[in-house]
């Protein structure tokens, strides 16, 4: 069932419930009002006829004739008058006694002064009438033909009005829901046109500050992110293909040359060493890509635990110096640092990858392969700086240094893939930290700031 149909039915149902509640309230109020009005009319008729009986010159026969003549034209009220001893002294028509008075009823009238009750469809009242120092008991009964006709007419009109208004409400609901949801239908038509090859398309955004406009803006934002992701993926695949092609082509060429002609033992060993070097480069590239994939996970899926940054840093120091004996790395940890200032929530593996990249990058581009690491504290948090002297990075290169596969002109003399710094920045940001680089005066410094809140 479409939303438009559901809204229409819900709107119609709510309207029907309100109308039914209102109709029931009006109907029963009218019934109660009619009932009370006719009781008052009966009481007035009873008193009027008692006045006519006790204070007029009409005798009982004339009053009977008056009663019978009235019953031919109107629904006359039947009245009976009793004295205090419960003796009947007047009755409009004793042969047809609607009330069927008995001593018990008359006693109740005398005690309560006034009572009212139903006899099937008839209404009846009993009241005490004082006259010349004596109390007389009067009963009056009748059928409220006009009142019941009015109530039935009201009920008929209410049912017809209910059905008519319900139909009109349903039709109005269809019209209004269609009009209200027309922007959503337009969005659906626009969304159908968006495919993987047309991610540049966007939903039209109106100036209205409503939920549909907010939905369109958020959807456009999602498309923007998807388009950037697709572009980055295409760029990533293109660069990976290029980086893999170089060592593979070199390996194929070396092996083909080795297989086409006889070589000395030393020649074969040299060919094997070259192929082995290219294979190792491919392994390094593969490992870098795996690390990049791990750093690109949803932060909620990466396990964080309590880690000590100084221990991870020293582990990176030991790993890099063990793999590269010619690297000269020094680590200086401020003596004033307390243990709790070095502890944070993080992923040990990813942090070690980031520190490895920073140390290796500093040593690689230093003529003497020297990297100085300093760990300190400032007002914002823990600060770790990686400093090397030698090649200065230009301002233009600094703008792109953290982009994937970007390599400056100065760095192309060293082997690399342009992934390390991009991966490092991603890992640092995952840990709610920041990284900045400053290069000048024959010195380059990468500074990582771990906030206290992180």
């Amino acid at each position: 069932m479409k939303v438009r149909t559901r809204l229409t039915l819900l709107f119609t149902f709510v309207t029907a419930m309100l109308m039914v509640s209102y109709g029931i309230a009006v109907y029963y109020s009218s019934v109660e009002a009619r009932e009370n009005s006719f009781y008052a009319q009966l009481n007035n008729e009873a008193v009027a006829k008692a006045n006519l009986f006790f204070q007029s010159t009409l005798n009982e026969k004339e009053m009977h004739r008056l009663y019978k003549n009235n019953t031919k034209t109107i629904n006359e009220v039947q009245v009976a008058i009793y004295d205090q001893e419960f003796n009947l002294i007047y009755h409009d028509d004793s042969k047809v006694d609607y009330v069927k008075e008995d001593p018990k009823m008359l006693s109740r009238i005398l005690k309560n002064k006034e009572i009212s009750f139903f006899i099937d469809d008839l209404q009846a009242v009993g009241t005490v009438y004082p006259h010349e120092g004596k109390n007389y008991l009067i009963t009056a009964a009748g059928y409220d033909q006009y009142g019941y006709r009015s109530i039935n007419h009201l009920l008929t009109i209410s049912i017809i009005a209910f059905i008519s208004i319900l139909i009109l409400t349903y039709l109005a609901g269809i019209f209004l829901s269609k009009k209200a949801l027309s922007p959503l239908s337009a969005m659906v038509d626009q969304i159908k046109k968006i495919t993987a090859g047309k991610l540049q398309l966007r939903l039209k955004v109106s100036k209205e500050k409503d939920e549909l406009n907010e939905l369109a803006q958020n959807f456009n934002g999602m498309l923007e992110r998807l388009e950037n992701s697709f572009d980055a993926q295409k760029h990533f695949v293109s660069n990976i293909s290029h980086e893999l092609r170089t060592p593979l082509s070199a390996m194929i060429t070396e092996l083909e040359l080795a297989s086409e002609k006889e070589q000395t033992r030393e020649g074969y060993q040299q060919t094997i060493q070259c192929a082995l070097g290219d294979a190792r480069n491919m392994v390094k590239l593969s490992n870098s890509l795996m690390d990049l994939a791990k750093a690109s996970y949803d932060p909620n899926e990466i396990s964080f635990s309590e880690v000590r940054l100084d221990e991870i840093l020293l582990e990176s120091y030991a790993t890099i110096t063990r793999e590269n004996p010619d690297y000269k790395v020094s680590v200086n940890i401020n003596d004033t640092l307390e243990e709790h200032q070095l502890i944070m929530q993080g992923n040990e593996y990813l942090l070690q990858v980031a520190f490895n990249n920073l140390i290796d990058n500093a040593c690689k581009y230093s003529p003497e392969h020297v990297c100085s690491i300093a760990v300190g504290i400032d007002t914002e948090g823990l600060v770790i700086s990686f400093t090397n002297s030698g090649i200065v990075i230009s301002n233009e290169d600094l703008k792109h240094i953290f982009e994937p596969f970007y390599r400056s002109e100065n760095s192309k003399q060293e082997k690399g893939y342009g992934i390390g710094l991009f991966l490092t920045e991603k890992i640092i940001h995952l840990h709610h930290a920041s990284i900045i680089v400053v290069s000048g005066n024959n010195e380059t410094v990468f500074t990582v700031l771990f906030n206290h809140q992180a």
Side-chain angles (χ1 to χ4, degrees):
M1 184 183 294
K2 292 186 176 181
V3 174
R4 185 172 62 192
T5 305
R6 285 206 301 268
L7 286 175
T8 301
L9 292 176
L10 180 62
F11 179 64
T12 305
F13 175 76
V14 172
T15 304
M17 291 297 100
L18 292 175
M19 289 179 61
V20 167
S21 301
Y22 174 76
I24 290 174
V26 170
Y27 177 76
Y28 280 102
S29 297
S30 300
V31 168
E32 186 177 0
R34 183 214 61 79
E35 183 180 313
N36 294 333
S37 175
F38 194 63
Y39 277 136
Q41 184 179 339
L42 286 175
N43 192 66
N44 292 336
E45 289 284 341
V47 173
K49 190 157 287 188
N51 289 335
L52 189 63
F53 178 78
F54 287 110
Q55 300 175 16
S56 71
T57 57
L58 295 176
N59 56 35
E60 187 174 355
K61 290 182 178 181
E62 290 175 336
M63 291 185 66
H64 284 166
R65 185 168 60 253
L66 179 64
Y67 169 75
K68 289 180 180 180
N69 289 336
N70 286 341
T71 56
K72 295 177 181 178
T73 57
I74 63 173
N75 187 26
E76 181 61 80
V77 176
Q78 187 184 88
V79 177
I81 302 175
Y82 291 82
D83 60 15
Q84 293 186 120
E85 285 75 30
F86 305 157
N87 297 316
L88 179 64
I89 59 176
Y90 172 78
H91 201 294
D92 281 328
D93 190 353
S94 58
K95 294 179 181 179
V96 184
D97 186 5
Y98 292 149
V99 180
K100 302 293 189 297
E101 297 88 350
D102 56 24
K104 184 178 179 182
M105 179 190 296
L106 296 174
S107 298
R108 193 155 64 95
I109 296 172
L110 186 62
K111 178 181 179 182
N112 298 326
K113 303 302 180 183
E114 186 175 324
I115 64 172
S116 57
F117 52 93
F118 269 89
I119 303 171
D120 296 329
D121 291 337
L122 300 176
Q123 285 180 246
V125 296
T127 185
V128 175
Y129 178 83
H131 180 66
E132 295 180 351
K134 294 183 180 180
N135 288 329
Y136 294 89
L137 309 178
I138 306 173
T139 64
Y143 178 77
D144 187 12
Q145 186 174 353
Y146 174 78
Y148 279 118
R149 188 182 296 121
S150 299
I151 290 297
N152 291 334
H153 182 69
L154 174 64
L155 182 61
T156 302
I157 293 298
S158 298
I159 293 174
I160 294 173
F162 173 75
I163 296 173
S164 302
I165 293 175
L166 209 59
I167 294 173
L168 292 174
T169 301
Y170 180 76
L171 296 176
I174 292 177
F175 173 76
L176 293 175
S177 61
K178 183 178 181 180
K179 187 173 182 179
L181 295 176
S182 58
L184 195 59
S185 300
M187 284 185 189
V188 173
D189 294 335
Q190 294 173 43
I191 290 172
K192 289 179 180 178
K193 298 177 183 178
I194 299 173
T195 61
K198 296 182 178 180
L199 286 176
Q200 74 279 5
L201 297 179
R202 297 292 183 269
L203 298 182
K204 292 181 180 179
V205 179
S206 65
K207 295 181 180 180
E208 299 291 335
K209 294 183 179 180
D210 55 14
E211 290 81 358
L212 293 178
N213 186 56
E214 185 178 353
L215 174 63
Q217 290 178 342
N218 287 324
F219 190 82
N220 286 341
M222 181 190 70
L223 288 176
E224 187 75 26
R225 293 190 295 273
L226 283 175
E227 185 180 11
N228 293 336
S229 177
F230 269 72
D231 291 342
Q233 187 181 47
K234 291 177 183 178
H235 183 67
F236 183 82
V237 171
S238 176
N239 281 285
I240 288 299
S241 300
H242 175 75
E243 295 294 342
L244 288 174
R245 189 184 298 118
T246 301
L248 282 174
S249 299
M251 289 175 63
I252 291 172
T253 301
E254 291 164 357
L255 293 174
E256 284 179 346
L257 290 174
S259 63
E260 288 176 358
K261 60 180 181 178
E262 289 287 337
Q263 294 188 23
T264 62
R265 178 184 177 88
E266 291 75 13
Y268 281 120
Q269 286 183 341
Q270 184 179 0
T271 301
I272 293 172
Q273 289 298 324
C274 290
L276 188 59
D278 290 331
R280 285 171 178 166
N281 288 335
M282 291 179 64
V283 169
K284 288 183 179 180
L285 175 60
S286 176
N287 290 336
S288 297
L289 294 176
M290 289 181 63
D291 292 337
L292 180 60
K294 291 179 181 179
S296 299
Y297 290 161
D298 185 338
N300 296 323
E301 296 181 2
I302 298 176
S303 61
F304 283 81
S305 60
E306 197 172 83
V307 296
R308 280 193 56 156
L309 292 176
D310 58 336
E311 293 179 353
I312 298 174
L313 186 62
L314 291 174
E315 183 67 29
S316 294
Y317 159 78
T319 301
I320 295 297
T321 53
R322 182 172 61 252
E323 294 177 355
N324 304 274
D326 57 330
Y327 283 3
K328 303 176 183 64
V329 183
S330 62
V331 181
N332 181 22
I333 300 177
N334 195 315
D335 295 335
T336 61
L337 283 172
E338 298 180 5
E339 182 178 349
H340 70 87
Q341 293 174 320
L342 295 165
I343 296 176
M344 63 168 289
Q345 290 292 319
N347 183 281
E348 183 176 350
Y349 172 79
L350 292 179
L351 285 172
Q352 189 168 345
V353 169
F355 292 156
N356 287 351
N357 286 335
L358 288 171
I359 297 172
D360 183 65
N361 191 74
C363 292
K364 185 187 298 183
Y365 297 109
S366 170
E368 297 179 354
H369 304 304
V370 175
C371 173
S372 299
I373 305 173
V375 183
I377 193 79
D378 66 6
T379 55
E380 295 185 11
L382 188 71
V383 178
I384 304 178
S385 61
F386 301 80
T387 306
N388 73 334
S389 57
I391 300 174
V392 176
I393 305 173
S394 68
N395 292 331
E396 183 63 28
D397 288 333
L398 285 175
K399 297 176 182 178
H400 308 283
I401 196 168
F402 292 114
E403 292 180 4
F405 301 104
Y406 179 80
R407 302 197 71 202
S408 65
E409 291 297 326
N410 293 336
S411 65
K412 289 183 179 179
Q413 60 187 0
E414 298 289 340
K415 288 185 178 182
Y417 305 102
I419 297 177
L421 290 179
F422 170 69
L423 173 60
T424 298
E425 184 192 40
K426 204 170 188 65
I427 293 173
I428 296 302
H429 288 169
L430 278 174
H431 289 80
H432 307 289
S434 59
I435 181 171
I436 58 174
V437 55
V438 177
S439 186
N441 297 326
N442 202 37
E443 186 178 78
T444 300
V445 182
F446 285 84
T447 304
V448 182
L449 173 60
F450 292 92
N451 296 322
H452 291 302
Q453 291 78 5

